[in-house]
Amino acid sequence: MPVATLLPFTATPSRKSSSPTSFRLTEKFILLLVFSAFITLCFGAIFFLPDSSKLLSGVFFHSSAVETNTRKGTDSDSNIAVGTDEKILAKIRKDHEKALVEAKDTLQKRPDEIKQDIQNEKDKVFKEDLSKGGKDDDNLPVIEYVQPPGATGHEPSDPETKERREKIKEMMKFAWDSYKRYAWGSNELRPVSMQGHSSNLFGDIKGATIVDALDTLYVMEMYEDFEMATEWVEKNLDFNVNAEVSVFEVNIRFVGGLLSAYYLSGKEVFRKKAIQLGEKLLPAFKTPTGIPWALLNLKSGIGRNWPWASGGSSILAEYGTLHLEFMHLSKLSGNPAFAEKVMNIRKVLNRLDKPQGLYPNYLNPNSGQWGQHHVSVGGLGDSFYEYLLKAWLMSDKTDEEGKKLYYDALQAIETSLMRKSSGGLTYIAEWKGGLLEHKMGHLTCFAGGMIALGADGAPEDKTGHQMEQAAEIARTCHESYARTTLKLGPEGFRFDGGVEAIATRQNEKYFILRPEVIETYMYMWRFTHDPKYREWGWEAVQALEKHCRVEGGYSGVRDVYASSPNHDDVQQSFYLAETLKYLFLLFSDDDHLPFEHWVFNTEAHPLPSLILTCSIAEIQSK
């Protein structure tokens, strides 16, 4: 922007004018006088200072021709230099005349018109930058968007089911409206203190709840709120931050949320933002083995692991929960690097011996060797197994390697970890250096849904057996809810010392609005249509309303065995992304996000089967 256009603001920043619509004549005269003096000074320098033309041209225009002539200084170049100087002098005169004209034009405008011109210029630059979507967006492949089947569904015909489904939508609206009112733009909401909440998992990236909730808003047909969230993503979602983030959490919540929003709505902004963020995460894979770091500074690209993780190891559930999103990033960007990174993780794992066929939770990214031999299907391990199965399903069952890895791992889990209590409850224990710890986490309760989802493809006709296992795990997890005072499940529960499905330690008694038990209910309903799963889900709805709903949203509780709730004052973003979405689908017809066309990432973000857009072989061959 020419300097002259800024002068009306700099000349009289705080001066009151007798005429608000124009500059006073004296002000115009003073400004013109200043310009005349400046031009006279410049031309005086040109004609009276030695080598002034070269000096001015070098300072103001950085002319390569002048710089070359000045450095060489040969007689043979003198004629060229003289001609060049004349051209430069003519350009200086022309530029000064143009600046004077612009100054005169500006002085004819009212101050409010000048401000509007500046704002128009800013808006123009912003729109141009947005349309480009970043430096690499021009290279994105052109994709003809076709919405996959079942993005929205029909209302249930059964009146009670319809009423319950509407209640869950009202819960979503209350949670979302509370976030909008008290914490808009923050990552999460503090519903008791009614303010924003930030987590170091996302560094300086903002809006986790907005991105996490996008697809839930769309699935529930809350389209006005979806458009509001979309506008925020367009204008405010920024990944250019000098901060360290959790690669795992940013991938499942932000990348997964953006991808899902794109596939549901077809809005290009989501595809572009997902790819931008995916590219920011690629430096995490710069390790000797290609096993990614857990933490990454998005600006410097420097990564590291959690200091508590077994001698600087990467965590199974974190590096193993990138596959679905990164395969889609390769498809949508045309960049095979995303798919190559996650396929390399499999190569590393395939070279390692597995103790009793199990995958320890810790792997050193430098040596490529296992860390501490701790195995869990709950925290630290859970979604690794989930993504093996879902990689196969998402590929339209062409990813035979993913299928084999999943069913082999499930067999090892059944043999070494799955146990039945004296009271007849099936649970999945944890394994530490060959010894079983008879505890099960709330996170492990997703396994009932996972086993049901994979039962149809089980080898040697084990479908019925695996469906029985899934049903038993669902019952155990329901018991963990039913045996508490608040009818909400604890973070962890044990099967020893004469107790079953009960938390015995204070640090296991909290509930943070987790979705895993509801997730299993939803899968079991879809595969069996046994009404008890809807009844169990409705029990959870009633407990959430009674004990977690507060004036400013929904809050977790610190002790599910207490007579009254002690709220933790956090409305987790995954409550909107997962818990409420799974409840809504539990009371929806099966044609809403049907499993034959959609696969849910571990944050419940639905992604279409790759066969709808591209075969897995095409991606891997790029």
Side-chain angles (χ1 to χ4, degrees), residues 558-611:
R558 292 190 170 92
D559 188 346
V560 294
Y561 300 97
S563 57
S564 60
N566 180 10
H567 296 109
D568 66 12
D569 197 18
V570 180
Q571 179 176 284
Q572 306 280 349
S573 77
F574 57 67
Y575 179 66
L576 290 78
E578 300 185 74
T579 309
L580 293 175
K581 184 189 290 118
Y582 283 137
L583 280 169
F584 188 78
L585 293 175
L586 175 62
F587 292 97
S588 298
D589 291 342
D590 294 355
D591 64 351
H592 202 168
L593 297 176
F595 293 162
E596 60 265 33
H597 296 304
W598 295 89
V599 172
F600 294 89
N601 89 335
T602 200
E603 190 78 1
H605 295 308
L607 301 172
S609 299
L610 280 168
I611 198 67

Side-chain angles (χ1 to χ4, degrees), residues 488-510:
L488 296 167
E491 182 70 5
F493 45 94
R494 294 180 178 270
F495 299 85
D496 55 16
V499 301
E500 294 191 358
I502 294 175
T504 59
R505 303 180 183 181
Q506 191 60 41
N507 64 357
E508 297 172 343
K509 295 181 179 181
Y510 62 87

Side-chain angles (χ1 to χ4, degrees), residues 129-326:
D129 184 60
L130 184 62
S131 66
K132 293 178 181 177
K135 61 181 180 182
D136 296 322
D137 284 352
D138 291 337
N139 298 324
L140 294 182
V142 176
I143 294 179
E144 182 180 354
Y145 171 77
V146 178
Q147 188 180 63
T152 56
H154 304 96
E155 287 189 348
S157 56
D158 174 61
E160 182 182 65
T161 303
K162 179 180 177 181
E163 182 181 349
R164 291 180 173 184
R165 186 174 183 257
E166 283 300 313
K167 172 58 183 174
I168 295 158
K169 183 173 179 178
E170 184 276 328
M171 294 168 68
M172 174 64 183
K173 180 169 178 53
F174 177 68
W176 175 255
D177 286 348
S178 297
Y179 169 78
K180 284 195 303 184
R181 182 176 181 182
Y182 301 116
W184 184 249
S186 299
N187 279 320
E188 290 169 321
L189 164 68
R190 289 194 177 276
V192 177
S193 52
M194 300 180 189
Q195 60 184 4
H197 170 65
S198 295
S199 168
N200 59 7
L201 296 174
F202 315 118
D204 291 336
I205 301 177
K206 302 299 182 185
T209 293
I210 296 174
V211 177
D212 237 0
L214 279 165
D215 51 14
T216 306
L217 294 170
Y218 194 95
V219 166
M220 293 188 183
E221 300 183 27
M222 297 170 62
Y223 295 129
E224 288 187 12
D225 292 301
F226 179 81
E227 291 300 328
M228 176 184 291
T230 301
E231 182 179 2
W232 187 92
V233 169
E234 288 178 335
K235 294 183 177 180
N236 301 106
L237 185 58
D238 182 18
F239 309 126
N240 296 312
V241 296
N242 183 16
E244 197 173 57
V245 304
S246 164
V247 174
F248 163 75
E249 293 288 353
V250 166
N251 176 64
I252 66 172
R253 302 199 204 197
F254 283 90
V255 177
L258 292 166
L259 289 173
S260 182
Y262 167 71
Y263 284 118
L264 288 168
S265 70
K267 293 183 181 291
E268 271 293 300
V269 63
F270 298 128
R271 177 169 78 122
K272 292 178 179 179
K273 291 284 187 180
I275 293 167
Q276 288 173 19
L277 181 53
E279 290 171 346
K280 289 279 188 181
L281 296 178
L282 284 176
F285 293 84
K286 291 181 179 179
T287 66
T289 59
I291 298 295
W293 300 112
L295 302 169
L296 180 73
N297 184 296
L298 292 184
K299 181 175 182 180
S300 67
I302 296 174
R304 67 183 179 98
N305 278 333
W306 299 104
W308 48 263
S310 186
S313 292
S314 298
I315 297 170
L316 182 68
E318 296 193 340
Y319 67 77
T321 311
L322 303 166
H323 193 99
L324 304 187
E325 297 84 0
F326 273 51

Side-chain angles (χ1 to χ4, degrees), residues 515-534:
E516 288 76 19
V517 175
I518 307 296
E519 177 182 358
T520 282
Y521 294 166
M522 189 274 290
Y523 279 105
M524 293 305 297
W525 164 257
R526 285 278 181 103
F527 289 117
T528 70
H529 283 187
D530 187 330
K532 71 183 178 187
Y533 296 113
R534 279 183 166 173

